[in-house]
Amino acid sequence: MGVLAYNDERTSPVPPARIFKASILDSHILMPKLLPDAIKSIEFIEGDGGAGSIKQINFVGGFAKHQINEVDEKAFTYKYTLIEGIGISDKIEKVVEAYLLKNPDAYV
């Protein structure tokens, strides 16, 4: 089994709270509108979006289910685990992603 790690860092003039709300908290509303040719819908099949919730992303060619491990709106962190999917490579055993908006006090 191999492990792949990936880090990405970007700067933005948009305040972290607004980015976090749009890209994480409201992604189930926003992403299907922004990417209608790729994402048909996003729905919570278990829970309300907090830790322990299961989110299903329905792509044009399949789906992916994420289990949300952690959501911290004050620290702007979000962690989830890919638990199931169709149309995703069978060579992937587990995916864990974490999002952190660095320096959340920069725009206060």
Side-chain angles (χ1 to χ4, degrees):
M1 173 173 70
V3 175
L4 174 66
Y6 173 75
N7 292 309
D8 186 29
E9 188 172 317
R10 300 180 186 268
T11 58
S12 174
V14 179
R18 188 169 180 194
I19 292 172
F20 191 78
K21 181 172 175 19
S23 64
I24 303 299
L25 302 178
D26 293 340
S27 66
H28 61 288
I29 298 166
L30 192 60
M31 290 303 165
K33 291 178 182 178
L34 292 175
L35 303 166
D37 293 337
I39 300 175
K40 296 189 322 190
S41 65
I42 300 175
E43 57 192 306
F44 292 103
I45 57 173
E46 212 175 283
D48 61 358
S53 296
I54 308 279
K55 180 167 42 172
Q56 181 168 314
I57 303 168
N58 297 303
F59 299 105
V60 172
F63 74 91
K65 287 184 184 176
H66 295 168
Q67 180 171 10
I68 299 170
N69 305 105
E70 177 185 318
V71 180
D72 187 335
E73 294 180 47
K74 292 184 194 250
F76 304 119
T77 58
Y78 177 77
K79 296 178 184 177
Y80 72 89
T81 302
L82 178 65
I83 57 172
E84 185 181 346
I86 294 188
I88 297 172
S89 173
D90 61 353
K91 298 194 183 335
I92 296 175
E93 183 177 322
K94 182 176 182 179
V95 174
V96 177
E97 287 197 47
Y99 292 89
L100 167 65
L101 297 176
K102 288 178 75 175
N103 198 6
D105 296 325
Y107 298 97
V108 176

